[in-house]
C-alpha cells in the first residue's frame, strides 16, 4: 500500500498482538492524537492468530473507532512476520511500533516522537506495577533488576545493543528495505538481530527518553517457559547474534572448558530443582541467571 501523505505530520501506529487486550492502550493513543493539530493518524492492530476468543471480540470492537483497523490473521506466524505484515498494511511514512502489553505513561508521548528527527528512534520503557503485590513475581523481579540498564543514559553507551521492538519509531522505507528476519518464529532476539543488521548497513539508532510502561507480568511458570524458548532461539541463531549477547559470549568461552562441563553436570542434577524453585512462590533473579547459564550450556 502506498503512502498517503509525505508530511512529517502523519503517523501509522502499529500494534502487533497475540491474546492481549490492548483496548486501553488504543484509547490512550487516540486521545493524544486528537490533541495534535494537523496530525493524520491511523492505528492498525495486527492479531497474530489469537486463540482467546474473548480477547478477539474486544479487539474486533476497536474497529468502530475512527482511524482504527483490527486485522486478524488466522495462524500465528511469529513476532517478526506480524510486524513485517503491519508495515505493508500501513499507509503513512512514519511508523510507530508499540507492543500490545505496554501502557502510555506520559501525556506528551506522541508529541515527543513527532518532534524527534531520525529514521529509527527508540523510546525505551519503564517498569510499572505494585511492588508489594508483585514481590514474588519472577518477571517483575527480573525487569526491576535490569531497569537501570535500560535508562537512556545507559542505552546511549551502546546504541546498537539495546534496542527493542516494544516502542520505536521508524521510517516505513527503512522497514520495507530491511524487514525483520522471519526465520524467527519463536520468542526472542528478532529485534536484537535487526538492530545489528541495521547498524552494519550504516543506520544509526537514536535513543530518547520517551518510555512506555511495562506492567503486565505473566506467572512464574509461564515466564520460565518463555525464557527457555528464548534461550533455544539464541542457540539456534548464535552465529548471527555473535557479539550481541553476554550470555552467548560467556557460554562460548566456557563451552569446552572444565567450567562448562561442571555447569552442565550441575544443571543435569540440580536444574530440575532450580526450575521448580523459579516456578514457585519465592523465586530469585540470581537463581534464574544460574539456571539460564546451565540450560544454555546444555544445548551445545
Amino acid at each position: 500500500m502506498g503512502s498517503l501523505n509525505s508530511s512529517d505530520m502523519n503517523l501509522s501506529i502499529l500494534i502487533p498482538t497475540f491474546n492481549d487486550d490492548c483496548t486501553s492502550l488504543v484509547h490512550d493513543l487516540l486521545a493524544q492524537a486528537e490533541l495534535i493539530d494537523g496530525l493524520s493518524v491511523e492505528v492498525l492492530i495486527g492479531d497474530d492468530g489469537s486463540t482467546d476468543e474473548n480477547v478477539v471480540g474486544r479487539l474486533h470492537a476497536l474497529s468502530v473507532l475512527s482511524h482504527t483497523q483490527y486485522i486478524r490473521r488466522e495462524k500465528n506466524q511469529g513476532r517478526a512476520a506480524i510486524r513485517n505484515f503491519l508495515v505493508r498494511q500501513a499507509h503513512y511514512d512514519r511508523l510507530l511500533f508499540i507492543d500490545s502489553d505496554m501502557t502510555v505513561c506520559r501525556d506528551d508521548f506522541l508529541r515527543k516522537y513527532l518532534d524527534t528527527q531520525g529514521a529509527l528512534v527508540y523510546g525505551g520503557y519503564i517498569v510499572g506495577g505494585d511492588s508489594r503485590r508483585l514481590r514474588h513475581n519472577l518477571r517483575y523481579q527480573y525487569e526491576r533488576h535490569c531497569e537501570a540498564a535500560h535508562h537512556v543514559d545507559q542505552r546511549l553507551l551502546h546504541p546498537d545493543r539495546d534496542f527493542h521492538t516494544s516502542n520505536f519509531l521508524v521510517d516505513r522505507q527503512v522497514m520495507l528495505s530491511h524487514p525483520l528476519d522471519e526465520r524467527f518464529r519463536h520468542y526472542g532476539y528478532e529485534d536484537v538481530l535487526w538492530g545489528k543488521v541495521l547498524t552494519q548497513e550504516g543506520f544509526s539508532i537514536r535513543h530518547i527518553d520517551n518510555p512506555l510502561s511495562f506492567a503486565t507480568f505473566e506467572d512464574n511458570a509461564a515466564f520460565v517457559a518463555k525464557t527457555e524458548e528464548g534461550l533455544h532461539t539464541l542457540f539456534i541463531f548464535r552465529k548471527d547474534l555473535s557479539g550481541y549477547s553476554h550470555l552467548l559470549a560467556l557460554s562460548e568461552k566456557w563451552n569446552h572448558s572444565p567450567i562448562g562441563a561442571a555447569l552442565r553436570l550441575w544443571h543435569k542434577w540440580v536444574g530440575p530443582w532450580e526450575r521448580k524453585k523459579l516456578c514457585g512462590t519465592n523465586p530469585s533473579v540470581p537463581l534464574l541467571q544460574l539456571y539460564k547459564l546451565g540450560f544454555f550450556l546444555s544445548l551445545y
Side-chain angles (χ1 to χ4, degrees), residues 33 40 48 50 64 80 85 114 120-121 168 178 250 252 281 291 294:
S40 298
D48 194 21
S50 287
V64 303
F85 169 77
L114 292 170
L120 179 57
V121 185
F168 75 101
H178 298 81
L250 201 60
E252 293 285 357
T281 58
Y291 180 77

Side-chain angles (χ1 to χ4, degrees), residues 3-173:
S3 296
L4 296 180
N5 193 329
S6 60
S7 166
D8 286 341
M9 290 300 288
N10 66 59
L11 188 66
S12 293
I13 301 174
L14 309 180
I15 305 176
T17 187
F18 176 75
N19 287 337
D20 275 330
D21 180 8
C22 55
T23 299
S24 295
L25 173 63
V26 171
H27 281 286
D28 289 343
L29 292 167
L30 288 174
Q32 286 198 16
E34 289 177 3
L35 298 176
I36 301 175
D37 291 337
L39 175 63
S40 298
V41 67
E42 66 174 354
V43 178
L44 303 183
I45 304 157
D47 186 341
D48 194 21
S50 287
T51 55
D52 187 329
E53 291 301 324
N54 291 324
V55 171
V56 170
R58 291 192 290 270
L59 294 176
H60 183 73
L62 292 172
S63 292
V64 303
L65 300 174
S66 297
H67 316 297
T68 303
Q69 183 180 4
Y70 169 65
I71 309 169
R72 185 184 185 190
R73 307 191 84 184
E74 292 302 319
K75 294 183 179 180
N76 184 277
Q77 299 296 316
R79 292 161 57 88
I82 189 63
R83 286 165 172 79
N84 291 339
F85 169 77
L86 284 171
V87 172
R88 296 191 296 270
Q89 301 304 306
H91 291 91
Y92 295 135
D93 298 322
R94 305 188 85 192
L95 312 179
L96 176 58
F97 271 96
I98 298 176
D99 279 358
S100 56
D101 56 359
M102 306 301 278
T103 303
V104 177
C105 57
R106 54 187 301 166
D107 294 336
D108 63 343
F109 173 74
L110 289 184
R111 178 79 265 178
K112 186 159 186 178
Y113 265 131
L114 292 170
D115 289 341
T116 301
Q117 299 298 315
L120 179 57
V121 185
Y122 176 53
Y125 71 93
I126 59 175
V127 181
D130 184 345
S131 59
R132 291 173 295 178
R133 183 177 63 85
L134 293 165
R135 65 185 184 277
H136 298 303
N137 182 277
L138 182 58
R139 179 67 183 272
Y140 176 75
Q141 290 183 26
Y142 177 77
E143 293 294 346
R144 288 301 302 269
H145 175 79
C146 300
E147 188 173 21
H150 297 308
H151 189 274
V152 65
D153 292 339
Q154 294 299 310
R155 288 188 273 123
L156 287 169
L157 297 177
H158 303 284
D160 61 325
R161 296 171 188 265
D162 196 344
F163 171 79
H164 303 278
T165 53
S166 58
N167 172 25
F168 75 101
L169 182 73
V170 62
D171 288 351
R172 185 168 182 265
Q173 288 303 319

Side-chain angles (χ1 to χ4, degrees), residues 199-250:
T199 301
Q200 292 174 339
E201 292 290 324
F203 291 92
S204 61
I205 302 173
R206 184 169 184 181
H207 289 262
I208 64 173
D209 182 25
N210 194 30
L212 291 167
S213 174
F214 178 59
T216 303
F217 308 100
E218 60 269 82
D219 63 38
N220 293 346
F223 178 57
V224 171
K226 182 183 285 188
T227 298
E228 292 169 341
E229 184 179 359
L231 292 174
H232 276 289
T233 300
L234 177 61
F235 182 78
I236 292 169
F237 294 101
R238 60 191 181 278
K239 292 183 179 179
D240 302 271
L241 294 164
S242 178
Y244 279 70
S245 165
H246 177 69
L247 176 62
L248 178 57
L250 201 60

